[in-house]
Amino acid sequence: MARNIQSLERAAAMLRLLAGGERRLGLSDIASSLGLAKGTAHGILRTLQQEGFVEQDTASGRYQLGAELLRLGTTYLDVHELRARALVWTDDLARSSGESVYLGVLHQQGVLIVHHVFRPDDSRQVLEVGAMQPLHSTALGKVLAAYDPVAHSEVLEAERKEFTARTVCEPDAFEGVLDITRARGYAADVEETWTGVASVAAPIHNQRRMPVGAVGVTGAVERVCKNGELRPELIAAVRDCARAVSRDLGAGRF
């Protein structure tokens, strides 16, 4: 069994202590409550403060929770709500399309899969929730890069790996792909990431009309495409799903 890291356990205990009871606590209070030496407690607090998880009041010297924890909590709530709102619509999309459905959000210069609905057949499939996909070659990633300024900056700064002969890596050509994505309202990936696999994705917006994720279908090229082009009915179904989730998040009509 893996051993717990003591310093992380102490830091977690410290955050829980600051989250309850009094709004601010002094170094001595924190150290005595957790049974730590003042020097040890101060070292942990200093690290947490540098990372933005703890703030120190300049007047009293007391500590309180920092803004970074609020940001992380808000991100978790946003993703949790996005997934909750998308459950019914993504199930419907999988049934109507006959393909796997993925819900993705921007995370660490990539696309984090936060929800995955299996293709509705008897084939063996692997749940990919928690998996990361590239921003520059997948339909989900291109949607995020086209509509989210942060994702756009990150994809240009990151290494754009050539997965297949179809992968677009050159900056100007990639910007052209994003222009087309914005003009059409959806993104395509036809064997740009995996040979024999195609996908289409559309953006999801929140009540502030900000992009918070993307939804798409992925399957074998021969099913997703017809005569070398994405099937129009699949594109329409994906866009309808994205609009429905957006409306449930308060974005109104697009």
Side-chain angles (χ1 to χ4, degrees), residues 78-94:
D78 286 347
V79 171
H80 182 72
E81 183 180 10
L82 171 62
R83 184 178 179 277
R85 298 286 185 178
L87 288 177
V88 172
W89 299 111
T90 50
D91 282 349
D92 287 347
L93 179 59

PDB file of all heavy atoms in Angstrom, residues 78-94:
ATOM      1  N   ASP A  78     -18.480  24.478 -11.972  1.00  0.00           N
ATOM      2  CA  ASP A  78     -18.831  24.702 -13.369  1.00  0.00           C
ATOM      3  C   ASP A  78     -18.826  23.395 -14.148  1.00  0.00           C
ATOM      4  O   ASP A  78     -19.740  23.108 -14.922  1.00  0.00           O
ATOM      5  CB  ASP A  78     -17.857  25.696 -14.012  1.00  0.00           C
ATOM      6  CG  ASP A  78     -18.110  27.128 -13.556  1.00  0.00           C
ATOM      7  OD1 ASP A  78     -19.173  27.386 -12.959  1.00  0.00           O
ATOM      8  OD2 ASP A  78     -17.234  27.978 -13.785  1.00  0.00           O
ATOM      9  N   VAL A  79     -17.758  22.599 -13.956  1.00  0.00           N
ATOM     10  CA  VAL A  79     -17.653  21.326 -14.663  1.00  0.00           C
ATOM     11  C   VAL A  79     -18.739  20.368 -14.198  1.00  0.00           C
ATOM     12  O   VAL A  79     -19.357  19.660 -14.998  1.00  0.00           O
ATOM     13  CB  VAL A  79     -16.253  20.706 -14.456  1.00  0.00           C
ATOM     14  CG1 VAL A  79     -16.204  19.277 -15.003  1.00  0.00           C
ATOM     15  CG2 VAL A  79     -15.191  21.562 -15.132  1.00  0.00           C
ATOM     16  N   HIS A  80     -19.000  20.351 -12.887  1.00  0.00           N
ATOM     17  CA  HIS A  80     -20.023  19.471 -12.339  1.00  0.00           C
ATOM     18  C   HIS A  80     -21.396  19.835 -12.908  1.00  0.00           C
ATOM     19  O   HIS A  80     -22.168  18.945 -13.304  1.00  0.00           O
ATOM     20  CB  HIS A  80     -20.042  19.580 -10.816  1.00  0.00           C
ATOM     21  CG  HIS A  80     -21.026  18.681 -10.151  1.00  0.00           C
ATOM     22  ND1 HIS A  80     -20.849  17.319 -10.073  1.00  0.00           N
ATOM     23  CD2 HIS A  80     -22.224  18.929  -9.558  1.00  0.00           C
ATOM     24  CE1 HIS A  80     -21.884  16.770  -9.446  1.00  0.00           C
ATOM     25  NE2 HIS A  80     -22.730  17.727  -9.130  1.00  0.00           N
ATOM     26  N   GLU A  81     -21.688  21.122 -12.982  1.00  0.00           N
ATOM     27  CA  GLU A  81     -22.975  21.549 -13.526  1.00  0.00           C
ATOM     28  C   GLU A  81     -23.058  21.240 -15.014  1.00  0.00           C
ATOM     29  O   GLU A  81     -24.101  20.791 -15.503  1.00  0.00           O
ATOM     30  CB  GLU A  81     -23.207  23.042 -13.292  1.00  0.00           C
ATOM     31  CG  GLU A  81     -24.573  23.502 -13.786  1.00  0.00           C
ATOM     32  CD  GLU A  81     -24.835  24.970 -13.572  1.00  0.00           C
ATOM     33  OE1 GLU A  81     -23.893  25.708 -13.198  1.00  0.00           O
ATOM     34  OE2 GLU A  81     -25.982  25.395 -13.795  1.00  0.00           O
ATOM     35  N   LEU A  82     -21.964  21.470 -15.731  1.00  0.00           N
ATOM     36  CA  LEU A  82     -21.940  21.179 -17.161  1.00  0.00           C
ATOM     37  C   LEU A  82     -22.269  19.711 -17.411  1.00  0.00           C
ATOM     38  O   LEU A  82     -23.120  19.383 -18.245  1.00  0.00           O
ATOM     39  CB  LEU A  82     -20.558  21.513 -17.733  1.00  0.00           C
ATOM     40  CG  LEU A  82     -20.286  21.064 -19.171  1.00  0.00           C
ATOM     41  CD1 LEU A  82     -21.245  21.745 -20.142  1.00  0.00           C
ATOM     42  CD2 LEU A  82     -18.836  21.352 -19.543  1.00  0.00           C
ATOM     43  N   ARG A  83     -21.626  18.834 -16.673  1.00  0.00           N
ATOM     44  CA  ARG A  83     -21.859  17.400 -16.850  1.00  0.00           C
ATOM     45  C   ARG A  83     -23.302  17.036 -16.476  1.00  0.00           C
ATOM     46  O   ARG A  83     -23.963  16.280 -17.187  1.00  0.00           O
ATOM     47  CB  ARG A  83     -20.872  16.600 -16.001  1.00  0.00           C
ATOM     48  CG  ARG A  83     -20.977  15.092 -16.193  1.00  0.00           C
ATOM     49  CD  ARG A  83     -19.930  14.358 -15.358  1.00  0.00           C
ATOM     50  NE  ARG A  83     -20.050  12.941 -15.538  1.00  0.00           N
ATOM     51  CZ  ARG A  83     -20.911  12.161 -14.884  1.00  0.00           C
ATOM     52  NH1 ARG A  83     -21.726  12.706 -13.996  1.00  0.00           N
ATOM     53  NH2 ARG A  83     -20.963  10.865 -15.103  1.00  0.00           N
ATOM     54  N   ALA A  84     -23.772  17.598 -15.362  1.00  0.00           N
ATOM     55  CA  ALA A  84     -25.134  17.294 -14.922  1.00  0.00           C
ATOM     56  C   ALA A  84     -26.165  17.741 -15.946  1.00  0.00           C
ATOM     57  O   ALA A  84     -27.135  17.025 -16.236  1.00  0.00           O
ATOM     58  CB  ALA A  84     -25.397  17.960 -13.573  1.00  0.00           C
ATOM     59  N   ARG A  85     -25.952  18.928 -16.519  1.00  0.00           N
ATOM     60  CA  ARG A  85     -26.900  19.454 -17.499  1.00  0.00           C
ATOM     61  C   ARG A  85     -26.846  18.679 -18.819  1.00  0.00           C
ATOM     62  O   ARG A  85     -27.837  18.644 -19.567  1.00  0.00           O
ATOM     63  CB  ARG A  85     -26.600  20.928 -17.776  1.00  0.00           C
ATOM     64  CG  ARG A  85     -26.739  21.842 -16.582  1.00  0.00           C
ATOM     65  CD  ARG A  85     -28.186  22.081 -16.235  1.00  0.00           C
ATOM     66  NE  ARG A  85     -28.333  23.060 -15.166  1.00  0.00           N
ATOM     67  CZ  ARG A  85     -29.493  23.483 -14.695  1.00  0.00           C
ATOM     68  NH1 ARG A  85     -30.620  23.011 -15.193  1.00  0.00           N
ATOM     69  NH2 ARG A  85     -29.550  24.356 -13.711  1.00  0.00           N
ATOM     70  N   ALA A  86     -25.697  18.074 -19.093  1.00  0.00           N
ATOM     71  CA  ALA A  86     -25.505  17.412 -20.386  1.00  0.00           C
ATOM     72  C   ALA A  86     -25.926  15.952 -20.393  1.00  0.00           C
ATOM     73  O   ALA A  86     -26.035  15.350 -21.475  1.00  0.00           O
ATOM     74  CB  ALA A  86     -24.029  17.517 -20.796  1.00  0.00           C
ATOM     75  N   LEU A  87     -26.193  15.350 -19.236  1.00  0.00           N
ATOM     76  CA  LEU A  87     -26.441  13.910 -19.154  1.00  0.00           C
ATOM     77  C   LEU A  87     -27.542  13.429 -20.095  1.00  0.00           C
ATOM     78  O   LEU A  87     -27.337  12.505 -20.887  1.00  0.00           O
ATOM     79  CB  LEU A  87     -26.774  13.513 -17.709  1.00  0.00           C
ATOM     80  CG  LEU A  87     -25.615  13.540 -16.708  1.00  0.00           C
ATOM     81  CD1 LEU A  87     -26.125  13.202 -15.305  1.00  0.00           C
ATOM     82  CD2 LEU A  87     -24.516  12.564 -17.122  1.00  0.00           C
ATOM     83  N   VAL A  88     -28.711  14.032 -20.002  1.00  0.00           N
ATOM     84  CA  VAL A  88     -29.845  13.588 -20.812  1.00  0.00           C
ATOM     85  C   VAL A  88     -29.583  13.826 -22.295  1.00  0.00           C
ATOM     86  O   VAL A  88     -29.824  12.949 -23.142  1.00  0.00           O
ATOM     87  CB  VAL A  88     -31.140  14.308 -20.379  1.00  0.00           C
ATOM     88  CG1 VAL A  88     -32.286  13.989 -21.346  1.00  0.00           C
ATOM     89  CG2 VAL A  88     -31.523  13.902 -18.966  1.00  0.00           C
ATOM     90  N   TRP A  89     -29.048  15.010 -22.620  1.00  0.00           N
ATOM     91  CA  TRP A  89     -28.842  15.372 -24.027  1.00  0.00           C
ATOM     92  C   TRP A  89     -27.773  14.507 -24.684  1.00  0.00           C
ATOM     93  O   TRP A  89     -27.908  14.151 -25.862  1.00  0.00           O
ATOM     94  CB  TRP A  89     -28.471  16.852 -24.138  1.00  0.00           C
ATOM     95  CG  TRP A  89     -29.533  17.767 -23.604  1.00  0.00           C
ATOM     96  CD1 TRP A  89     -29.474  18.535 -22.489  1.00  0.00           C
ATOM     97  CD2 TRP A  89     -30.835  17.987 -24.163  1.00  0.00           C
ATOM     98  NE1 TRP A  89     -30.643  19.224 -22.298  1.00  0.00           N
ATOM     99  CE2 TRP A  89     -31.504  18.910 -23.313  1.00  0.00           C
ATOM    100  CE3 TRP A  89     -31.493  17.496 -25.281  1.00  0.00           C
ATOM    101  CZ2 TRP A  89     -32.788  19.352 -23.569  1.00  0.00           C
ATOM    102  CZ3 TRP A  89     -32.796  17.942 -25.532  1.00  0.00           C
ATOM    103  CH2 TRP A  89     -33.424  18.858 -24.680  1.00  0.00           C
ATOM    104  N   THR A  90     -26.714  14.184 -23.955  1.00  0.00           N
ATOM    105  CA  THR A  90     -25.658  13.342 -24.538  1.00  0.00           C
ATOM    106  C   THR A  90     -26.140  11.903 -24.707  1.00  0.00           C
ATOM    107  O   THR A  90     -25.765  11.230 -25.672  1.00  0.00           O
ATOM    108  CB  THR A  90     -24.380  13.381 -23.683  1.00  0.00           C
ATOM    109  OG1 THR A  90     -24.703  13.120 -22.309  1.00  0.00           O
ATOM    110  CG2 THR A  90     -23.703  14.739 -23.788  1.00  0.00           C
ATOM    111  N   ASP A  91     -26.981  11.425 -23.788  1.00  0.00           N
ATOM    112  CA  ASP A  91     -27.569  10.093 -23.959  1.00  0.00           C
ATOM    113  C   ASP A  91     -28.429  10.056 -25.229  1.00  0.00           C
ATOM    114  O   ASP A  91     -28.371   9.093 -26.014  1.00  0.00           O
ATOM    115  CB  ASP A  91     -28.431   9.735 -22.744  1.00  0.00           C
ATOM    116  CG  ASP A  91     -27.615   9.291 -21.543  1.00  0.00           C
ATOM    117  OD1 ASP A  91     -26.398   9.061 -21.705  1.00  0.00           O
ATOM    118  OD2 ASP A  91     -28.182   9.189 -20.440  1.00  0.00           O
ATOM    119  N   ASP A  92     -29.226  11.108 -25.420  1.00  0.00           N
ATOM    120  CA  ASP A  92     -30.069  11.188 -26.612  1.00  0.00           C
ATOM    121  C   ASP A  92     -29.218  11.234 -27.884  1.00  0.00           C
ATOM    122  O   ASP A  92     -29.565  10.613 -28.899  1.00  0.00           O
ATOM    123  CB  ASP A  92     -30.963  12.428 -26.555  1.00  0.00           C
ATOM    124  CG  ASP A  92     -32.091  12.285 -25.542  1.00  0.00           C
ATOM    125  OD1 ASP A  92     -32.331  11.154 -25.065  1.00  0.00           O
ATOM    126  OD2 ASP A  92     -32.717  13.319 -25.210  1.00  0.00           O
ATOM    127  N   LEU A  93     -28.117  11.977 -27.823  1.00  0.00           N
ATOM    128  CA  LEU A  93     -27.238  12.096 -28.989  1.00  0.00           C
ATOM    129  C   LEU A  93     -26.616  10.751 -29.343  1.00  0.00           C
ATOM    130  O   LEU A  93     -26.508  10.396 -30.525  1.00  0.00           O
ATOM    131  CB  LEU A  93     -26.153  13.142 -28.727  1.00  0.00           C
ATOM    132  CG  LEU A  93     -25.134  13.358 -29.849  1.00  0.00           C
ATOM    133  CD1 LEU A  93     -25.825  13.783 -31.143  1.00  0.00           C
ATOM    134  CD2 LEU A  93     -24.096  14.406 -29.421  1.00  0.00           C
ATOM    135  N   ALA A  94     -26.188   9.997 -28.332  1.00  0.00           N
ATOM    136  CA  ALA A  94     -25.609   8.680 -28.583  1.00  0.00           C
ATOM    137  C   ALA A  94     -26.637   7.752 -29.232  1.00  0.00           C
ATOM    138  O   ALA A  94     -26.327   7.009 -30.174  1.00  0.00           O
ATOM    139  CB  ALA A  94     -25.088   8.072 -27.285  1.00  0.00           C
TER     140      ALA A  94
END
